[in-house]
Amino acid sequence: LASLMKTDSLDQWAKHVQANLQGNDDEFLKSSRNDGQTIIDIAFDYCEAGFYAEAIQLIQLHHAHEPANCAVPNPLNQTVMTKFILAWLFEKVDKKAESESLLKELSTSSYDYFFPSRIQEQLILEWAIQQNEAVSLAAYGLGNYYFNLKRHEDAISSWEKAANAGCRYGTLYRNLGIAYWNTNADGEKARQAFEKAVQLSPEDMRIQYEFDQLRKKLNDRPAERLAYLETLNEKILTRDDFSVELAALYNFTGQYKKALKLLENKNFHPWEGGEGQVLRQYTYSCLKLGQIALHNDEPQKALAFFEKSLDTPDNLGEKYHPLQAVAHINYWKGMACKALGKQEKANDYFQKSTHEDGDFVDMAVSTYSELSYYKALLLMELGQSEEAFGLLTKIRHFGEEKLTQEARIDYFATSLPLLLVFEDDLQKRSELEAKYLIGLAELGLGNKTKALDLFDEVLQINAMHVGAHDQLVSTKEFLKRT
């Protein structure tokens, strides 16, 4: 660095590096760690000064030695980009045969960790594509470069060029699938791209997980998604997010014991965008098993499950906040105590959540939520029907107002799980939640036909809306019995 600061021009800097190379290769390799990104920067400095032969010597020296180990591993310390640069340099010094030979060699190189980031790299990759050699790899890298710059249409065009050239790298089609969805809102092309990605990389659980999330966006039937995921067996458990999604599908399809077994026998770790997801599935499994026990006249067993729903094991990696609203859990605890003939204890549980206000939805505080509906049920159990109906009316009004409002992400909402890979229609999601809240309010107010219509409408758009599904099923069963 001291030597660099003493130089007066790029020409002098290039000569300084050249002197070091000629004098002591070992010292240069040690000081630069033979890092591919450092080599590229120096090579382009040579090129801008017109020292093409020296740039060639530098890259050949880089290729002849392994990068040095460092405390923080860097997968980009070796990159196929240096070979593209070398091929371009060979042409610049009229070594066309060497250039063509290297481009031909590049046609079988690995696509892993190919993330060009410099304008010079863009120009060289465009040159490589023009040579009609190694076009697939060059076009793939160029697509990565464009996508990073938010030139999404250019990225799609480049990736499609790679695909048309016969690329068999699964991640290329994964990238195309994401771009088709996020840029063009083209669900069918996104599906086709991901199907190709899965076909080429069936062992890549990231691709498998993202394909499942796309299928969720496309509203594929949960039972069909589950049937496919079960063919992946234990591989799913290598990813926490995938494991939680599998548990969610087990829960949605009524296989609560399977979901609970999965959740109790895997160590989870908190991840960005996944806050609360593991807890939610664990609690849901316990509550549903408790409800089944209560329906089967086993209130003591039911109460044990309801209590277990909050007593989360350490392997889940997170715990509920002490101020977490739990009206739904207190409601079911109270109902179990009521079935046991312990009315005073039941009333204690009902009373616990009557002062809960608001909830945390999509990383923002919401005045009313599904828990507000359970608060109304608690009030009814306590004989406070007037307050309960007043609350349900407010919930309905809140939902109706929400339908007319523009959906926005709270300024501090930095961790939205639905936005991690595939862009979501925030307005549609807001409208669905509004209709669900209105449906709950109508259900509580005794307007069951209106409620059923709203729940059905929500499920037509989001086949895996758990709340609407549960309420639709339970309400239909109630109507059959009565």
Side-chain angles (χ1 to χ4, degrees):
L1 179 61
S3 299
L4 170 60
M5 294 175 67
K6 292 177 183 177
T7 58
D8 297 322
S9 67
L10 182 62
D11 181 78
Q12 287 180 312
W13 161 236
K15 289 179 179 179
H16 168 75
V17 173
Q18 177 61 16
N20 280 344
L21 286 175
Q22 292 176 340
N24 191 337
D25 287 352
D26 291 339
E27 184 64 28
F28 173 79
L29 291 170
K30 181 180 179 181
S31 63
S32 68
R33 300 197 305 275
N34 198 29
D35 177 78
Q37 301 305 315
T38 302
I39 299 300
I40 289 175
D41 284 335
I42 298 173
F44 283 142
D45 285 345
Y46 271 135
C47 293
E48 289 177 10
F51 292 109
Y52 299 123
E54 288 77 4
I56 290 173
Q57 181 185 355
L58 172 68
I59 294 177
Q60 288 177 329
L61 176 66
H62 167 66
H63 289 165
H65 298 82
E66 290 294 322
N69 293 325
C70 58
V72 180
N74 175 17
L76 300 183
N77 62 4
Q78 285 183 301
T79 170
V80 72
M81 192 66 221
T82 56
K83 292 185 177 181
F84 277 110
I85 297 170
L86 187 58
W88 176 78
L89 284 167
F90 279 145
E91 186 183 73
K92 297 295 286 185
V93 297
D94 294 324
K95 292 186 176 181
K96 294 188 181 298
E98 289 88 340
S99 178
E100 291 174 1
S101 175
L102 189 51
L103 285 175
K104 186 176 182 180
E105 177 186 326
L106 280 165
S107 65
T108 59
S109 294
S110 171
Y111 287 70
D112 292 345
Y113 299 109
F114 190 21
F115 301 111
S117 60
R118 305 164 180 83
I119 184 66
Q120 299 97 325
E121 293 174 89
Q122 173 193 337
L123 297 174
I124 288 174
L125 291 175
E126 289 174 344
W127 165 83
I129 292 172
Q130 291 172 358
Q131 309 311 303
N132 294 320
E133 294 285 353
V135 62
S136 179
L137 179 57
Y140 168 72
L142 193 59
N144 293 347
Y145 170 84
Y146 284 141
F147 200 78
N148 180 58
L149 296 178
K150 301 190 185 302
R151 293 173 58 176
H152 298 141
E153 292 294 349
D154 288 332
I156 290 173
S157 177
S158 291
W159 285 332
E160 287 179 337
K161 189 173 292 185
N164 293 336
C167 175
R168 297 190 58 77
Y169 186 56
T171 300
L172 166 72
Y173 298 92
R174 171 258 186 189
N175 292 352
L176 270 173
I178 293 173
Y180 285 144
W181 178 271
N182 291 346
T183 303
N184 301 330
D186 193 330
E188 192 52 41
K189 290 187 76 172
R191 185 195 295 275
Q192 292 172 5
F194 261 96
E195 286 175 346
K196 181 72 171 179
V198 168
Q199 175 191 343
L200 293 172
S201 301
E203 301 298 316
D204 190 326
M205 288 301 107
R206 181 188 68 170
I207 290 177
Q208 291 279 13
Y209 172 69
E210 290 173 349
F211 180 42
D212 180 66
Q213 292 302 291
L214 175 65
R215 294 189 65 187
K216 192 175 180 180
K217 293 282 186 188
L218 293 170
N219 214 30
D220 286 6
R221 292 171 60 86
E224 293 175 358
R225 288 173 50 214
L226 177 58
Y228 174 73
L229 294 189
E230 287 188 315
T231 67
L232 301 178
N233 302 317
E234 298 297 313
K235 298 172 189 174
I236 286 180
L237 302 182
T238 60
R239 291 184 63 102
D240 284 358
D241 49 7
F242 215 169
S243 300
V244 173
E245 191 64 34
L246 179 59
L249 284 165
Y250 280 142
N251 276 330
F252 191 86
T253 55
Q255 301 179 69
Y256 312 118
K257 290 182 179 179
K258 275 190 176 182
L260 195 58
K261 181 179 179 181
L262 186 159
L263 294 167
E264 290 180 328
N265 289 279
K266 174 178 166 57
N267 289 324
F268 292 88
H269 311 83
W271 72 93
E272 181 71 16
E275 297 86 346
Q277 290 192 44
V278 185
L279 293 175
R280 191 175 302 116
Q281 295 306 323
Y282 178 85
T283 295
Y284 184 84
S285 298
C286 292
L287 289 179
K288 296 304 288 186
L289 288 169
Q291 290 167 35
I292 291 172
L294 195 59
H295 180 74
N296 292 334
D297 295 324
E298 298 176 288
Q300 192 62 56
K301 182 179 179 181
L303 182 59
F305 273 118
F306 297 146
E307 290 174 341
K308 184 177 179 178
S309 69
L310 273 180
D311 186 18
T312 54
D314 293 341
N315 69 285
L316 298 186
E318 53 184 341
K319 297 286 185 179
Y320 280 111
H321 191 280
L323 299 179
Q324 171 72 36
V326 289
H328 57 321
I329 296 174
N330 283 330
Y331 171 77
W332 286 111
K333 284 182 179 180
M335 295 303 288
C337 289
K338 183 178 177 180
L340 286 167
K342 300 178 180 180
Q343 189 62 52
E344 186 176 347
K345 184 65 175 176
N347 289 344
D348 287 342
Y349 281 123
F350 295 145
Q351 192 67 43
K352 280 184 179 181
S353 290
T354 55
H355 299 295
E356 291 179 352
D357 288 315
D359 194 12
F360 207 51
V361 180
D362 286 343
M363 300 304 292
V365 175
S366 178
T367 308
Y368 298 102
S369 73
E370 181 180 32
L371 295 186
S372 305
Y373 167 72
Y374 279 97
K375 180 179 174 180
L377 296 185
L378 295 173
L379 290 169
M380 289 182 186
E381 290 294 331
L382 290 169
Q384 302 175 32
S385 299
E386 186 175 344
E387 289 184 39
F389 286 125
L391 176 57
L392 290 166
T393 302
K394 289 178 181 178
I395 296 172
R396 180 170 62 186
H397 179 70
F398 176 81
E400 291 169 346
E401 284 289 311
K402 191 177 177 70
L403 282 174
T404 66
Q405 296 170 353
E406 180 182 353
R408 294 180 181 179
I409 299 177
D410 186 86
Y411 179 78
F412 294 102
T414 59
S415 183
L416 291 172
L418 292 177
L419 304 180
L420 289 178
V421 177
F422 299 102
E423 291 184 4
D424 199 28
D425 188 331
L426 293 177
Q427 194 64 40
K428 180 188 291 184
R429 195 169 89 216
S430 178
E431 291 172 0
L432 282 180
E433 288 308 305
K435 289 178 180 179
Y436 174 56
L437 284 179
I438 297 171
L440 289 175
E442 295 289 5
L443 182 63
L445 292 168
N447 304 320
K448 292 182 173 57
T449 301
K450 284 186 179 180
L452 287 174
D453 288 343
L454 285 163
F455 296 146
D456 187 62
E457 188 176 341
V458 169
L459 288 168
Q460 289 299 319
I461 300 172
N462 179 4
M464 203 171 166
H465 193 290
V466 177
H469 174 264
D470 282 355
Q471 295 297 344
L472 188 69
V473 171
S474 61
T475 304
K476 285 183 175 179
E477 288 178 352
F478 173 79
L479 292 174
K480 284 181 181 179
R481 292 196 302 270
T482 58

